[in-house]
Amino acid sequence: MDKNRFFRAIPKVDTLIEQCDSAGLFDRYGREITVDCIRERTEALREFIGKSEDETEIIRRTESLLPDIASAAEKLFSPNLKPVVNATGTVLHTNLGRALISRKHADHLMAMVSGYSNLEYDLEAGARGERYSHFEKLLCKITGAEAAMAVNNNAAAVMLTLSALCRGGEVPVSRGELVEIGGKFRVPDVMAQSGAVMVDLGTTNKTHLSDYEDAINENTVALLKVHTSNFRVVGFTESVSVAELVELGNKHGLPVIEDIGSGVLIDLSKYGLTYEPTVQESIRAGAAIVCFSGDKLLGGPQAGIIVGRRDYIKKIKKHPLTRAFRIDKFTAAALELTLQEYLSEENAIRNIPVLRMLTQPPMEIRERAEKLAAMLKNVNARVEVVDCESQVGGGSMPLERLRSSAVAIKPNGMTTASFEEALRRAKKPIICRVQEDRALMDMRTVQPGEAELIAAEVTEILGAK
Ligand SMILES: *Cc1c(COP(=O)(O)O)cnc(C)c1O
């Protein structure tokens, strides 16, 4: 293949500049940005010609160089981080942003981020206030703890707690709880970073109270318990409860610190879900500090919440890492609004999107799937409503399978893989599951108003029968 012929066919930069100018790109995006895009796209084309043997594709790309430059410029000015439709059925989808904040709170949050606020200003005293004050009382009321604060995420909360309370001292922890959460959060590494000395005890499947007893000495500063959020050990197992640890801790004057992971504030087994220990139960059992995520089962903004005894929280607030991990006004506002919903369990289930999606009756999901299937009855594909299972996600309740319904789409005129890709490239991208060569739209995580959007996009991609 004579590649030089193709290299010569690439328009000169000067020519492209003229063409872009007359196509209005300079007016729209400015000269500098447009010229940058010209350079970048011609360079990409040159590289492609260099390595490709596909003549038709080379010609196609050369011919579409101008629109390619225009779309590169357009892309720079439009958000790359944008809303998507989650049709995977996984409620706490880490790749898709985990928990959703209710639209009910959108106006307040918008006002909070686009205007000034009393974030650190005490309006009654007319003096400096604390950013945690807006939700500390709520957290105490809901969890029964004496004091509370929040940092950027639970990884930071655990790291900060151990740094502030355990640096230089020994902290016994069960080998069955040395979890990796993902994103490089590994309990042994976090402990090492914090300066606490990990004393691992017991075995993978069994840890007895006597293991802790044997590990305690004059260098011990606290007992740590970590919830094994994202995995389960089944069969011949034994672990020590928070209450038992507290009793042991009390005998030796040691606080119990618990990383409970998901931050469940309602007993979800009432709604047919797997039982998960709640924060309230740990506090009631006497844990000195409990750490948990704001955007897992709690259903709020990304945050790491620390609740517990006043003296310890006071010490944590004074630690330099607190400043490094501090939450912003958006988080503080969203946390306050989410926690207010918990003042009534009924409100929480109804108004917190994560809880609403998790407790949705299968019949309702089925009805929504049937509605979407009806909207799609004329598209060029085989469309049917099928039973499926959705997951909780976010490293929570790993064994839970939620009964759900999906619309299964098997396109006629294209492969399922190309269809899935087209959905992903939509203006509001639609992320679905591919199973048995069909695209599945699990309706559990499809939000109000999005079914119409899916119908329009699918019709656009596949056309009518
Ligand atoms: C998820 C989780 C973390 C990390 O929480 P982030 O809020 O994602 O930082 C830490 N510990 C446990 C036990 C978890 O389940």
Side-chain angles (χ1 to χ4, degrees):
M1 184 158 91
D2 176 16
K3 296 234 171 163
N4 282 329
R5 181 162 63 90
F6 294 120
F7 283 125
R8 276 196 305 272
I10 303 175
K12 295 254 165 332
V13 168
D14 287 344
T15 317
L16 286 166
I17 287 179
E18 258 170 50
Q19 286 173 337
C20 286
D21 192 11
S22 48
L25 266 62
F26 280 21
D27 290 342
R28 237 174 299 152
Y29 309 115
R31 185 189 161 90
E32 215 172 309
I33 295 287
T34 309
V35 173
D36 275 354
C37 291
I38 291 173
R39 294 231 160 82
E40 185 200 301
R41 296 325 299 160
T42 42
E43 193 44 51
L45 179 59
R46 210 166 274 130
E47 216 173 276
F48 184 75
I49 296 171
K51 63 172 199 237
S52 174
E53 294 299 321
D54 183 348
E55 281 197 24
T56 4
E57 183 60 18
I58 291 175
I59 293 165
R60 195 193 65 76
R61 289 198 189 194
T62 308
E63 278 170 357
S64 61
L65 185 57
L66 203 58
D68 187 29
I69 292 165
S71 77
E74 172 66 34
K75 226 175 147 184
L76 276 176
F77 286 88
S78 44
N80 192 53
L81 177 59
K82 57 189 164 190
V84 305
V85 174
N86 176 6
T88 67
T90 301
V91 177
L92 294 170
H93 200 304
T94 304
N95 300 152
L96 305 183
R98 269 203 204 159
L100 315 186
I101 306 290
S102 168
R103 278 183 210 180
K104 182 183 157 199
H105 302 315
D107 289 346
H108 180 72
L109 291 175
M110 182 46 80
M112 274 299 300
V113 291
S114 61
Y116 293 108
S117 63
N118 60 334
L119 180 65
E120 283 192 353
Y121 188 69
D122 183 333
L123 290 170
E124 270 165 41
R128 196 196 157 121
E130 205 186 47
R131 64 181 63 207
Y132 313 115
S133 65
H134 311 291
F135 52 81
E136 180 166 7
K137 268 211 200 87
L138 274 169
L139 272 170
C140 294
K141 195 170 173 55
I142 296 162
T143 65
E146 285 175 5
M149 62 180 293
V151 288
N152 277 327
N153 49 45
N154 191 30
V158 175
M159 171 88 167
L160 171 62
T161 300
L162 293 171
S163 303
L165 306 181
C166 305
R167 186 171 194 84
E170 288 185 8
V171 180
V173 58
S174 162
R175 291 197 174 102
E177 299 175 0
L178 298 180
V179 298
E180 171 173 317
I181 297 300
K184 289 278 177 291
F185 180 95
R186 291 174 141 193
V187 170
D189 298 346
V190 172
M191 292 189 80
Q193 274 296 326
S194 74
V197 180
M198 179 176 82
V199 179
D200 48 330
L201 47 86
T203 61
T204 307
N205 56 326
K206 281 206 169 204
T207 300
H208 312 284
L209 190 61
S210 58
D211 293 323
Y212 291 92
E213 237 159 0
D214 294 345
I216 293 173
N217 62 45
E218 69 279 8
N219 299 321
T220 310
V221 288
L223 303 174
L224 177 65
K225 185 162 178 65
V226 182
H227 184 50
T228 59
S229 306
N230 54 8
F231 77 102
R232 291 286 177 270
V233 177
V234 293
F236 191 56
T237 65
E238 188 174 326
S239 61
V240 180
S241 71
V242 189
E244 290 170 291
L245 279 185
V246 168
E247 202 185 323
L248 177 67
N250 285 344
K251 251 193 264 168
H252 298 270
L254 298 169
V256 170
I257 297 169
E258 184 175 20
D259 170 9
I260 202 168
S262 260
V264 184
L265 298 174
I266 288 176
D267 177 5
L268 291 172
S269 65
K270 276 195 269 179
Y271 301 90
L273 290 146
T274 314
Y275 167 79
E276 278 280 306
T278 64
V279 177
Q280 292 91 319
E281 283 164 335
S282 287
I283 292 294
R284 217 179 301 131
I289 290 288
V290 183
C291 302
F292 50 98
S293 286
D295 60 342
K296 287 187 183 168
L297 289 169
L298 189 148
Q302 181 188 303
I305 300 168
I306 310 174
V307 300
R309 261 171 51 184
R310 192 171 293 113
D311 49 343
Y312 291 124
I313 296 284
K314 203 168 157 193
K315 203 166 165 193
I316 295 171
K317 280 181 181 168
K318 283 197 190 130
H319 193 277
L321 278 179
T322 299
R323 177 63 175 77
F325 294 156
R326 84 174 180 187
I327 52 166
D328 77 331
K329 52 186 176 286
F330 170 83
T331 308
L335 202 51
E336 181 185 16
L337 295 174
T338 308
L339 290 168
Q340 274 170 344
E341 302 288 4
Y342 279 98
L343 293 174
S344 130
E345 184 169 317
E346 204 187 313
N347 285 349
I349 295 286
R350 192 176 46 214
N351 297 333
I352 296 176
V354 167
L355 298 181
R356 180 172 43 76
M357 285 187 270
L358 287 174
T359 58
Q360 220 169 151
M363 269 314 291
E364 276 177 26
I365 306 178
R366 178 105 202 161
E367 275 166 29
R368 292 200 292 124
E370 269 155 14
K371 264 195 198 138
L372 175 58
M375 288 186 242
L376 293 172
K377 68 176 187 298
N378 291 322
V379 298
N380 191 18
R382 207 178 72 224
V383 176
E384 59 181 325
V385 174
V386 297
D387 291 333
C388 68
E389 286 178 332
S390 17
Q391 293 185 30
V392 178
S396 306
M397 303 186 182
L399 301 182
E400 184 77 55
R401 293 291 174 270
L402 304 156
R403 244 180 355 111
S404 187
S405 293
V407 177
I409 306 172
K410 169 86 177 100
N412 288 333
M414 64 167 75
T415 63
T416 305
S418 323
F419 176 52
E420 183 274 335
E421 186 183 337
L423 289 167
R424 223 178 332 118
R425 290 176 188 273
K427 195 150 166 261
K428 183 166 180 180
I430 298 165
I431 315 296
C432 63
R433 264 193 345 249
V434 173
Q435 229 170 45
E436 290 164 6
D437 200 30
R438 296 183 299 182
L440 287 199
M441 307 281 173
D442 185 332
M443 298 307 284
R444 180 182 297 277
T445 47
V446 172
Q447 301 303 303
E450 288 181 344
E452 290 74 13
L453 202 141
I454 295 175
E457 198 58 53
V458 171
T459 309
E460 164 117 14
I461 296 169
L462 299 178
K465 260 204 255 271

